Amino acid sequence: DSATSSRGVITVCAVDAAGERSPYSERGANLTVCAPSGRSTTPATAPEITTTAVKDKYTDDFGGTSASAPMVSGVAALMLQANPRLTWRDVPLVLARSARQVDPTNAGWTSYGGYHYNHEYGFGVADATAAVQLARSWQSVGGSSTLRQCGPYSATVNQAIPETTPISDAVFENPFADASGLSKAAVNGVTSRISAAGCGIQHIEHVEVVLTATDDTGARAHPSAGDLQITLTSPAGQTSTLTTPHLCYNISGQQTSCQGLVDFSFGLSRHLEEPAISGTSSDWTLAAADRRTGNTGRLRNWSITLYGR
């Protein structure tokens, strides 16, 4: 859902009491930080969050990311109380820089510029104490008026997306059980590069990628977009996974085909603080591969917009 990765949105994931990803918590390069919740949505199998309730004095079965998201809202409120001058751009930067790394043996952790990132945890779990301490001395990066934008830079591709290394039905539901695969570029597919030459942003705060994948004729949306693995690699060599191969279900819980990649927007937090250009490289590389036989299609076009300072 593009709304959960729009510029200005702080996307929150969930961890259980052991500091590990809750099974229902979605992975992605749009995640900022996690916060505590339960292991499952069934209190009988795992502890949930105890909090106040509307009709009763309290509830002890509050779970899901519905529990973790308001915890991050609370941390943000404490930060603003400590430093009311923080802007909407400052808050995610402070949260990311002060986040606590959890599940340290998880293979998905990567490091860049003093930050740790994992497609399962974002920059880690929000740390209220560390965030408030950092907020007190934080030098604001400014608000909307000082936010710099490069792009959108666009590319017309119009190439078939090859079917390579198909994934069996048995593992299609969770093709990246090893989270390290989410930080690797899709291989043996179609690749396209866009140069950000001339962009003076030294510290990225948000990346937006808009792409269209169609059927073979180019007239309609891709017939089974859930078959696709799509990644973006920055000039600094850091890779975001935009979408993984996955099964889709309708509202009744019946399996159906995944569609919708027409002018679809992906917002990425993963490249926070990277430069738009790294050394002599200004190329941002999109890679797409089809991991299931049948229902082939084409990558028609894509664009990238960089925001930061």
Side-chain angles (χ1 to χ4, degrees):
D1 186 343
S2 295
T4 64
S5 58
S6 299
R7 179 164 52 95
V9 171
I10 296 173
T11 305
V12 177
C13 40
V15 296
D16 62 15
E20 297 178 352
R21 181 179 72 92
S22 300
Y24 51 77
S25 183
E26 293 191 54
R27 301 176 291 187
N30 61 326
L31 298 177
T32 306
V33 290
C34 289
S37 188
R39 180 70 183 171
S40 73
T41 55
T42 307
T45 61
E48 301 293 307
I49 300 300
T50 297
T51 186
T52 55
V54 175
K55 294 182 179 180
D56 303 311
K57 293 182 179 180
Y58 72 93
T59 178
D60 59 2
D61 62 354
F62 189 36
T65 50
S66 294
S68 52
M71 290 195 185
V72 176
S73 298
V75 174
L78 293 172
M79 291 162 49
L80 290 166
Q81 184 181 40
N83 183 354
R85 296 179 299 279
L86 296 178
T87 69
W88 66 273
R89 292 170 58 197
D90 294 322
V91 172
L93 290 169
V94 172
L95 286 171
R97 187 164 294 186
S98 60
R100 176 169 51 89
Q101 187 180 9
V102 292
D103 194 9
T105 60
N106 185 290
W109 287 106
T110 59
S111 299
Y112 179 85
Y115 288 86
H116 302 290
Y117 196 85
N118 191 312
H119 283 70
E120 295 189 333
Y121 300 105
F123 293 96
V125 170
D127 186 322
T129 300
V132 169
Q133 290 176 344
L134 181 58
R136 288 195 179 104
S137 59
W138 184 260
Q139 296 299 309
S140 178
V141 299
S144 300
S145 63
T146 58
L147 180 67
R148 302 178 66 179
Q149 174 182 337
C150 290
Y153 305 106
S154 303
T156 299
V157 184
N158 196 21
Q159 293 185 33
I161 302 174
E163 290 182 337
T164 56
T165 319
I167 297 173
S168 67
D169 289 349
V171 298
F172 201 78
E173 188 71 78
N174 186 22
F176 291 100
D178 180 353
S180 64
L182 295 167
S183 295
K184 298 177 181 177
V187 297
N188 302 322
V190 59
T191 60
S192 175
R193 293 176 175 84
I194 290 179
S195 172
C199 180
I201 293 176
Q202 297 298 312
H203 302 275
I204 288 173
E205 296 175 28
H206 184 78
V207 176
E208 182 182 38
V209 173
V210 179
L211 64 82
T212 293
T214 67
D215 63 5
D216 291 325
T217 68
R220 293 178 294 275
H222 193 286
S224 187
D227 296 357
L228 304 180
Q229 177 191 5
I230 304 176
T231 61
L232 177 74
T233 301
S234 71
Q238 303 298 306
T239 296
S240 290
T241 288
L242 277 59
T243 182
T244 63
H246 62 281
L247 299 176
C248 290
Y249 300 89
N250 62 23
I251 196 169
S252 300
Q254 298 172 324
Q255 188 175 329
T256 184
S257 61
C258 309
Q259 297 185 17
L261 292 183
V262 175
D263 290 331
F264 193 91
S265 176
F266 295 91
L268 310 176
S269 300
R270 190 257 184 278
H271 299 285
L272 189 73
E273 298 289 8
E274 287 187 49
I277 300 172
S278 180
T280 60
S281 176
S282 62
D283 286 346
W284 291 77
T285 305
L286 189 81
D290 191 322
R291 300 304 188 201
R292 205 172 208 185
T293 56
N295 295 316
T296 57
R298 306 178 73 82
L299 176 63
R300 297 286 292 183
N301 54 67
W302 72 288
S303 67
I304 184 170
T305 307
L306 308 173
Y307 299 90
R309 63 196 189 279

